[in-house]
Amino acid sequence: MPSIPLQRTLAIGSLVYAATLWGLVWYPYRLLNEGGVGGIASSFFSYAIPLLLMGWLHGRALRAARGHWLWLSALGLAAGWTNLAYVLAVLEGEVVRVLLLFYLSPLWTVLFSRFLLHEKLNRAGWAVMTLAAGGALAMLWQPGAWPLPANHAEWLALSAGVMFAASNVISRHLDGVTEGAKAVSVWAGVAVLTVVGLMLIPAELDFMAQADAYIWLLLVGVALAIGSMTYAVQYGLARVPANQAIVIFLSELVVAAIAAYFLSDERMGVQEWIGAAMIITASLFSGHMENDQLKELP
């Protein structure tokens, strides 16, 4: 068994690895979309493949965790919506704006942590909420209009951030449940939601009739990356406080911003930079909340 310091280092490294891949994965999803594979279909294959390839390895862990089936189901659905909404948002919207709305997560993490992890909202918590909300207002403000997401993609990004925070906190709440059982729940949650989506929009599967080897190889590659990321996230979340994990996940924003600059020629204006600075500051602040937070006994 690794020592405690080594475990923590591995956990942080796992979260950084996952965040880095998430900051890049939007690009192959866009390539798939250009090749005729819609966001719902690509999400289905991205999660169904690891579920089929690796899900059976965790049958014993799932049986051992059957007393937590309700929370595992909640984790699956929350993570399922997070991943599906994220993919649809980055296909339709500007990557950096989508991620900024997604990373309002500290605001939601503070609230979810209060109710599920019994973490009291102290002055640091109020500061996080104020900064995150202020950053959103700064980024979304338009004269004569409510500061709300401007389009369908941005609403998806906002909802994905809410569910991302919920899934992180639920994962921490499932203390004692193995990372494998949690990973299977995440894959299954996305698969269930995407199957519903495909039933509503069956035309998303039309690509299968003429897809070439390149498309299938790209789908399998994304699926394997997703599988490894899921393991990495669950390993890290089991060993890193929820509020600190949000800070580590911010590296995704940096990676995505650089990738978007070179791969899609996207630029942010002054207003977006001000909002980004406030949201990032809120996230950085949230990482120190564990130092002085008083927690209630469960």
Side-chain angles (χ1 to χ4, degrees), residues 13-24:
S14 295
L15 294 179
V16 172
Y17 165 78
T20 301
L21 281 185
W22 263 118
L24 297 171

Side-chain angles (χ1 to χ4, degrees), residues 169-181:
V169 174
I170 292 170
S171 183
R172 287 282 293 172
H173 181 71
L174 284 166
D175 190 30
V177 176
T178 66
E179 290 83 24

Side-chain angles (χ1 to χ4, degrees), residues 10-219:
L10 290 173
I12 292 172
S14 295
L15 294 179
V16 172
Y17 165 78
T20 301
L21 281 185
W22 263 118
L24 297 171
V25 78
W26 61 269
Y27 187 64
Y29 273 122
R30 284 194 174 182
L31 293 178
L32 286 167
N33 192 55
E34 291 170 4
V37 188
I40 298 174
S42 59
S43 295
F44 170 74
F45 285 101
S46 297
Y47 288 85
I49 289 173
L51 179 62
L52 291 174
L53 290 180
M54 295 176 280
W56 63 274
L57 296 172
H58 305 290
R60 183 177 298 178
L62 286 169
R63 286 193 296 272
R66 59 183 177 273
H68 303 280
W69 69 269
L70 188 59
W71 282 111
L72 283 171
S73 299
L75 172 64
L77 292 176
W81 181 255
T82 296
N83 291 286
L84 177 58
Y86 175 87
V87 170
L88 295 176
V90 295
L91 289 180
E92 297 179 26
E94 296 180 23
V95 172
V96 177
R97 280 182 66 88
V98 163
L99 282 176
L100 285 173
L101 286 165
F102 183 83
Y103 276 108
L104 284 172
S105 297
L107 178 63
W108 320 121
T109 299
V110 166
L111 298 175
F112 290 132
S113 295
R114 175 67 183 89
F115 292 107
L116 289 181
L117 301 180
H118 306 289
E119 295 177 357
K120 289 184 177 180
L121 187 63
N122 60 0
R123 285 178 294 180
W126 286 111
V128 165
M129 293 180 68
T130 302
L131 275 172
L137 289 173
M139 185 179 68
L140 298 172
W141 179 261
Q142 296 293 335
W146 288 95
L148 297 172
N151 51 51
H152 185 243
E154 294 185 2
W155 279 109
L156 283 170
L158 184 65
S159 69
V162 174
M163 290 297 101
F164 179 62
S167 64
N168 286 350
V169 174
I170 292 170
S171 183
R172 287 282 293 172
H173 181 71
L174 284 166
D175 190 30
V177 176
T178 66
E179 290 83 24
K182 294 176 185 177
V184 172
S185 297
V186 172
W187 299 331
V190 182
V192 168
L193 290 179
T194 51
V195 165
V196 173
L198 292 172
M199 290 173 64
L200 295 173
I201 314 176
E204 287 250 343
L205 294 175
D206 289 349
F207 81 94
M208 297 177 67
Q210 67 273 355
D212 56 22
Y214 165 76
I215 292 295
W216 288 110
L217 286 173
L218 192 54
L219 272 173

